[in-house]
Amino acid sequence: MGKTIIAGPCSVESREQLREVTEALVRLRGVSMIRAGVWKPRTRPGGFEGLGEPALGWMQELAKEYNAVYCCEVARPEHVALCQRYGIRAVWLGARTTGNPFMVEELCHALQGSSMAVLVKNPTSPDVRLWLGAIERLQAAGIDDITAVHRGFSMYHSSGYRNAPLWEVALELRRERPEVPILCDPSHMGGRADMVEPIALAAMQLDYNGLMVEVHPHPETAWSDREQQLTPAALGQLLEALRRLPTTVSGEALPALMALRGHIDDLDHELLTLLARRMELSREIADIKREKGLTIYQSKRWEAVMQDRLQLAADLGLDEDFTKELFEKIHAESVRVQMES
Ligand code: PEP
Ligand code: MN
């Protein structure tokens, strides 16, 4: 399968709970690391805030007994120091931490010189620069085992998700930092156990490197994030579904795929040639405008162009927002070219 699977409870609740889930996850095979929150960032006060240091002691003990690797969330330099004291080799920065450069900077200080693996969840707001910034700060601190985790974003309208996946934001991160593997956290995206599998499968279609999934031995009794945690058996089924996914395009599909890709390459070349011609015409127009003393930007003409293109796009079945953005870009470039000429 070749995917990294991190699974485990939202929070450590007792030595027995941790033992039970560890035993089940080790038995499943394919789980490379066990997640378990020890300090829980709560959006509002009053919720379970984690057991802290005693939980780390159980993790250290069970890591030896089951030959398991644990990871937990850190938000303060003291958390990092405690993890190191208890032999925890991997930590994650939660969404509320990634979004705060002061906190990230302090954690970088604490992590400097260690060989800990660090997972970086996306910030709660869809600003890829905050996410990139946290990764870059860690890289600058000499941490080289860094993995990004897309856990969805807080949106005013989250259309059925707890935290809406914004695949395009994560794609931007991958474009900027192709060396950083990325996992999907379908649990915090969906907020419901039945949403985990479809989201995880969507992430696989986008070639994510793996998953971070919340798994609890008895989800109905969980002290935090009760609705979204899977049972170990349900994780087993999800892993089965992942194993059934085709890894390479097989047999007959291949020539058809190659032919279609060839067509797309041809069309892209045509598109660029047409855009170059369009900019050439803009330069000629600029000459006339200059001669006749007309301004480069002509609002009436631009409005008419946009109306016409949107109408045609609608007739052709193209998305309105996409068309609008595309022509705003083209127009901006045309204005730039005219200013320059
Ligand atoms: C968690 O993983 O349990 C958690 C609190 O995550 P996030 O920072 O993504 O909300
Ligand atoms: Mn959680």
Side-chain angles (χ1 to χ4, degrees):
M1 188 167 48
K3 300 288 180 189
T4 301
I5 306 295
I6 300 179
C10 180
S11 317
V12 180
E13 296 165 6
S14 68
R15 181 197 259 119
E16 260 331 291
Q17 174 242 18
L18 190 62
R19 175 189 298 281
E20 201 177 342
V21 76
T22 299
E23 196 167 301
L25 292 173
V26 167
R27 201 173 317 128
L28 272 184
R29 297 180 194 288
V31 175
S32 34
M33 221 191 282
I34 299 178
R35 59 149 287 147
V38 165
W39 299 282
K40 302 306 299 175
R42 307 319 302 243
T43 300
R44 300 180 66 188
F48 171 57
E49 293 187 333
L51 295 178
E53 193 169 347
L56 294 176
W58 304 329
M59 285 158 93
Q60 187 171 38
E61 182 189 317
L62 294 167
K64 285 209 191 81
E65 194 176 327
Y66 288 95
N67 193 25
V69 181
Y70 289 99
C71 63
C72 85
E73 173 169 354
V74 289
R76 313 182 51 82
E78 306 89 89
H79 298 163
V80 175
L82 279 166
C83 282
Q84 285 165 341
R85 191 176 314 154
Y86 287 91
I88 305 293
R89 298 202 300 268
V91 293
W92 80 80
L93 270 55
R96 297 159 192 78
T97 304
T98 306
N100 184 333
F102 282 131
M103 289 167 82
V104 173
E105 201 58 54
E106 285 186 10
L107 288 170
C108 284
H109 251 286
L111 286 161
Q112 199 141 27
S114 88
S115 59
M116 279 180 145
V118 182
L119 296 125
V120 185
K121 292 211 179 189
N122 63 258
T124 52
S125 58
D127 183 347
V128 75
R129 295 168 309 161
L130 280 169
W131 201 0
L132 278 169
I135 290 170
E136 286 161 355
R137 285 191 159 90
L138 286 161
Q139 286 176 331
I143 305 295
D144 44 34
D145 191 346
I146 300 174
T147 300
V149 181
H150 182 195
R151 51 75 86 189
F153 296 89
S154 292
M155 310 294 283
Y156 192 59
H157 296 289
S158 59
S159 48
Y161 291 98
R162 179 178 177 194
N163 294 290
L166 295 178
W167 305 110
E168 64 280 19
V169 174
L171 198 62
E172 213 174 316
L173 182 92
R174 291 162 83 185
R175 265 191 243 112
E176 293 281 336
R177 287 275 168 268
E179 77 281 12
V180 176
I182 184 162
L183 308 182
C184 170
D185 173 346
S187 310
H188 290 89
M189 283 177 177
R192 275 189 4 223
D194 65 313
M195 291 174 77
V196 170
E197 180 161 325
I199 297 172
L201 292 175
M204 293 303 112
Q205 291 300 316
L206 297 170
D207 203 26
Y208 274 55
N209 302 92
L211 303 171
M212 182 193 249
V213 189
E214 285 193 340
V215 177
H216 191 287
H218 310 285
E220 69 288 355
T221 67
W223 296 1
S224 57
D225 288 351
R226 188 172 292 172
E227 274 81 42
Q228 71 194 30
Q229 304 205 56
L230 297 186
T231 60
L235 178 69
Q237 284 167 16
L238 172 57
L239 296 184
E240 262 316 305
L242 296 191
R243 286 190 193 101
R244 281 196 302 271
L245 290 176
T247 45
T248 50
V249 183
S250 61
E252 261 164 50
L254 203 50
L257 183 65
M258 282 172 65
L260 288 171
R261 284 181 174 160
H263 269 309
I264 284 188
D265 291 346
D266 290 346
L267 286 177
D268 282 352
H269 294 176
E270 245 177 84
L271 277 173
L272 285 172
T273 311
L274 288 173
L275 281 173
R277 269 178 40 206
R278 195 185 191 285
M279 293 308 153
E280 200 38 58
L281 294 177
S282 293
R283 280 191 196 92
E284 286 178 31
I285 283 180
D287 292 341
I288 296 174
K289 284 178 180 164
R290 196 176 318 107
E291 235 169 71
K292 303 290 176 204
L294 293 168
T295 57
I296 287 175
Y297 180 67
Q298 299 278 330
S299 64
K300 284 272 167 318
R301 160 72 183 156
W302 166 233
E303 276 162 30
V305 166
M306 188 60 115
Q307 277 316 313
D308 174 79
R309 305 318 183 249
L310 286 175
Q311 185 53 57
L312 177 58
D315 295 344
L316 293 169
L318 285 167
D319 182 76
E320 184 179 341
D321 289 342
F322 164 74
T323 308
K324 221 170 169 171
E325 261 181 56
L326 179 67
F327 273 92
E328 272 160 6
K329 279 247 155 63
I330 290 175
H331 182 244
E333 177 61 7
S334 166
V335 169
R336 191 192 67 78
V337 158
Q338 293 183 55
M339 300 284 281
E340 221 180 38
S341 75

